[in-house]
Amino acid sequence: MRKDIIYLLILLALVDITILMDIPILRQSIPFIFFNIVPGYLLVKIMRLDLELLEKSLLSAGLSISLLIFTGFLLNSTYPFISRPITIGPVVVALNILIFILLTGYYLRSEPSGEHKFNFEGTIFSPAMLSLALPVLTVIGSYLMNTYHINTVLLGVLLTIPIYMIILTLVRERLHHSAYPIALFNIGLSLLIMNGLPSSYLIGRDIHIEYYLFRTVLMNGHWSVSGAINNAYNACLSITILPAIYRLILDVPAVYIFKLYYGFIGAIMPLAVYLISERILKDRTMAFYAALLFIFQFSFIYILGWCRQLIALVFFSLAIMVLTSSLRRRDKKILFIIFMVSTVLSHYTTAYVFAILTILIPPVAWLIKRFSIGRPKRSYFFGVSVAVLFFVVVFAWYAQATGAPFNDAVKFFKTTFSSMADFFAVDMRNNAEQSVVGIGIAQLPNFMSVMIHDTVFLLIGVGFLSILFHRRDDISREYTAAILIAMGLLASFIILPFISKGYGGTRLFTQMLVILTPLFIMGIQELVSLLKRQSLKLPMILLVLVLLFSCVSYLNYHFAGIPYSYAYNSEGERRYEAFIFTSEVTAAKWLSSNGGNFTVNTDTFGYSRILQGFYNPPKLNTEFFTNETKREKGYIYLRWANVNRGLVFLDSPGRPPRFIGGKLKMDNVEPIGDYKNLIGDKDRIYDNGGAVILGGF
C-alpha cells in the first residue's frame, strides 16, 4: 500500500482515538483541523487539480466544510430508522465512512504528490510570523476585559494592526509571497474573535435564534425541517447540523463553536478575496490592500453575530475564486456547483443574491460581447445550464423542502413593489443607506465614518468606470458581467424603497465586495494617473484603509469620548444591548423552572437573555414598553441594563449616540423611570442584582 495512504489512515486512527478517549486539548483541536482540511484535500486530489498551495488549501477547507454539511444531512435523513442520528456514535462512524470513500477514490485516481518547496532566498518571512501574536493577544485581551474590565490589550491589538500594515508596506520588496496570506488570516481572525469572545454567552442579534436552533438539534439528536422557532433560520444547515457535528467531535461548550471556531472558518474569506484580487490586479501587494478593504467592513468584523451568513459567504467567495481561476471548464463547473449548493444550504438571502448573479450573468455577458464593453477575453465557463440548475436547487430547497425562506422571499418582493408608491419617503430606507447621501448624520465620529465610506464607494465607482472605458483583455466576460450586476444591486439599495430595510445594505455590500474589491485599487490607480503623481498611490491606499479601520472598529468613537464598542468598552449603547451577564441567564433559568406557562414581557433585547435560559421558547412580548395593546398577563423580565443603568431599549438603535445638551443620548433608549406607572406597583418575585422578575401583571 502507498505510504501516503498509510499515513492518512494512521492520522484518522489518531483522530478517532482523541475523540473516543476524550483526550483534553487534543480533542478540542486535532479533529477540527483534520475534518476541515483532509476530506477536501482528498477530493482535490481525486479531481487531479494542479494548484498552487494557497488555492489548494482554500479549496480543501471549503470542500471539507461542504462535505461535512452533506454528510450530516445524509446521516440526518436516516431518522427515524436511527432515532438519534446526530449524536457522537453515528457522527464518528459517518465521518470515518466518508474518509474511507475518499481514500478509495484517492488511491484509484491520484499519484503520490510531491512536497511543496518554499524558496526563501532573497526574501524575508519574519514579518508574517509577527501576525501570529495578534489572535493570541486578542484571546488574552478578551479574557482580561471579560473578567477585570481591562481593555489595554485589546486597544493595543487594534492600534497595532495599522502599524503592522505600514511595516509590511515598507518591506514589501523583500517580503516572501506567502507573508500576505498569513497576515490576512491572522488579522481577520483577530478581529472576528475580538467581537465574538466578549461575555460568556453569545454576542449579536440573530445569533441567539441561530444558537437556539443549534441547541435544539443537539438535544433532539436530529434536525427537523420544521424548527421550534423561526423556520427560515431553521432551513440553514450551517447553524443546525454543521455546528452540531463540530460540537460532538470537539466536546467544547456549545457557545464556543460560534464564538471561536467559526472565527477560524470566517478567516478563510479574506484569503479568497486576496487570490481573486491578485488575479485581477496582477500585483500581490495591491491584492493585500484589496483584501484588507474586505476585512475592514462592519459586516465582516461582526459576522459572528449571524453565523449562517458567515458560512454562506465562505462558499460564495470560493465560488467567485473558482470563477476567476484558470482551471479546466469541467473542473470549474463541478467546484462552482458544489459551492453553489453549499451556499443554498447555508443561508437563504446570500443564496438569493448569488442566484441573481448567476442567472443574470449569461445575458449580461452576451451584451458585453455584443457591444464590446471593456473588450474582455472570451470565456466559456458560465452558461444557461448553470443558471437553470441554480434556480432548480433554490426552488427545491426553499420552496419544496423547507418552505419558509421562499415564502419570506415572496413577501419581501411584494413589499418592495408595493412600497414604490412611497418612493420618496425617507423612512422607507434604512438609516445606513440614508447616511450615504448625508441624511441623519449625528456627531463628528459618525460624519467621519460616512465620509470615509463614501470615499470608498467613490473609488470603487471610479474603478468601475475604468473597466468600462479601458481595454482590459485579461478580465473574463463573466467577471465583467458580475461587476456590472453587483454595482446594479448596490445601487438598488439606495434608489429603491424598502429593500435596505428588508435586508441590511452593509451585509449586501460585504458580499459584493468579494467581486468589487479590485475596483477600489483600480479607482486609486486611475486617480493618481489623472494627477500624474504615482508616488501618491500607496499613501492614498494606506490613508483610506487606516481611516476605514478606525471607523469599523469604533476607535473614532472611543477617542471622541463616546463608548460604542461592546468588545473593549464596559459601558455604552452596544454593550448594554449585546453583552449578556450570567445573572441575566440565571434569572431566565429560574423563570423557566418556576414561571409556568405565562407570557414573558421585556424590552427589545431581553429576548436574547431569555432564550439562553429556556429549554423551550416561552411566549415573548418585546413590545411591553411601547405597545399598550400587547401587554399580556404574565411576568416582567428586567435585564441588567434596565436594573443597573435604568435604561429601556424601545427598539433597535437606528443611529449612533449623540450629545444633546451636553448629555449622551442613545437612539430609541429611554429612562426606566418614565415607566414607573407601568411597573412600579408590580411584585418583585426574583432579584439577583443583575436581573429582576416582576409578577402580578
Side-chain angles (χ1 to χ4, degrees), residues 32 57 131 135 139 164 213 220 230 286 311 344 365 409 419 434 457-458 473-475 503 588 621 625 680:
F32 183 76
S57 301
S131 68
V139 172
Y164 181 61
L213 292 168
N220 295 338
N230 203 315
M286 294 300 109
I311 300 296
V344 172
S419 68
Q434 293 180 33
F457 301 151
L458 175 64
D473 296 331
D474 56 338
I475 299 178
Y503 181 63
N621 174 25
F625 291 98

Side-chain angles (χ1 to χ4, degrees), residues 367-430:
L367 289 173
I368 290 172
K369 176 185 176 183
R370 176 70 176 80
F371 296 102
S372 299
I373 300 174
R375 292 189 176 275
K377 67 181 180 182
R378 190 177 184 186
S379 174
Y380 296 95
F381 166 40
F382 258 108
V384 176
S385 60
V386 176
V388 171
L389 177 62
F390 205 154
F391 176 80
V392 169
V393 172
V394 167
F395 184 79
W397 182 249
Y398 292 138
Q400 301 301 309
T402 56
F406 188 80
N407 295 333
D408 288 350
V410 171
K411 187 183 299 183
F412 173 81
F413 284 110
K414 282 184 177 178
T415 307
T416 299
F417 284 117
S418 64
S419 68
M420 294 300 290
D422 301 314
F423 187 87
F424 295 102
V426 173
D427 61 353
M428 291 302 293
R429 292 169 176 83
N430 214 1

Side-chain angles (χ1 to χ4, degrees), residues 472-598:
R472 288 294 303 266
D473 296 331
D474 56 338
I475 299 178
S476 70
R477 288 181 193 144
E478 286 78 17
Y479 186 73
T480 306
I483 289 172
L484 289 166
I485 298 165
M487 295 296 289
L489 286 171
L490 291 175
S492 71
F493 267 64
I494 303 295
I495 298 169
L496 298 178
F498 183 74
I499 289 184
S500 64
K501 293 183 78 71
Y503 181 63
T506 56
R507 292 162 75 172
L508 176 74
F509 182 62
T510 301
Q511 183 176 355
M512 293 299 95
L513 271 184
V514 173
I515 299 168
L516 299 177
T517 45
L519 272 63
F520 166 71
I521 301 297
M522 291 180 188
I524 291 180
Q525 290 173 335
E526 193 69 23
L527 286 179
V528 297
S529 295
L530 291 173
L531 296 172
K532 297 181 179 180
R533 297 286 300 274
Q534 288 296 324
S535 60
L536 291 177
K537 183 170 75 171
L538 284 178
M540 284 180 65
I541 292 173
L542 288 172
L543 178 63
V544 172
L545 288 176
V546 170
L547 291 176
L548 179 64
F549 175 71
S550 72
C551 293
V552 297
S553 60
Y554 297 124
L555 287 173
N556 57 334
Y557 284 93
H558 178 76
F559 291 114
I562 301 175
Y564 200 41
S565 169
Y566 54 63
Y568 57 81
N569 290 132
S570 57
E571 302 288 340
E573 174 190 295
R574 289 171 59 79
R575 182 82 168 189
Y576 299 153
E577 171 195 330
F579 193 93
I580 298 178
F581 293 85
T582 301
S583 57
E584 296 175 307
V585 178
T586 302
K589 288 180 177 179
W590 183 91
L591 189 57
S592 174
S593 301
N594 301 282
N597 190 24
F598 289 97

Side-chain angles (χ1 to χ4, degrees), residues 240-281:
T240 51
I241 289 178
L242 180 63
I245 291 174
Y246 287 137
R247 167 65 181 82
L248 292 168
I249 64 175
L250 299 174
D251 192 33
V252 294
V255 292
Y256 282 95
I257 299 298
F258 285 161
K259 288 172 73 70
L260 180 62
Y261 287 91
Y262 268 41
F264 284 90
I265 297 174
I268 294 172
M269 283 184 277
L271 303 186
V273 173
Y274 168 79
L275 204 51
I276 294 165
S277 301
E278 183 187 6
R279 290 166 178 168
I280 302 301
L281 299 170

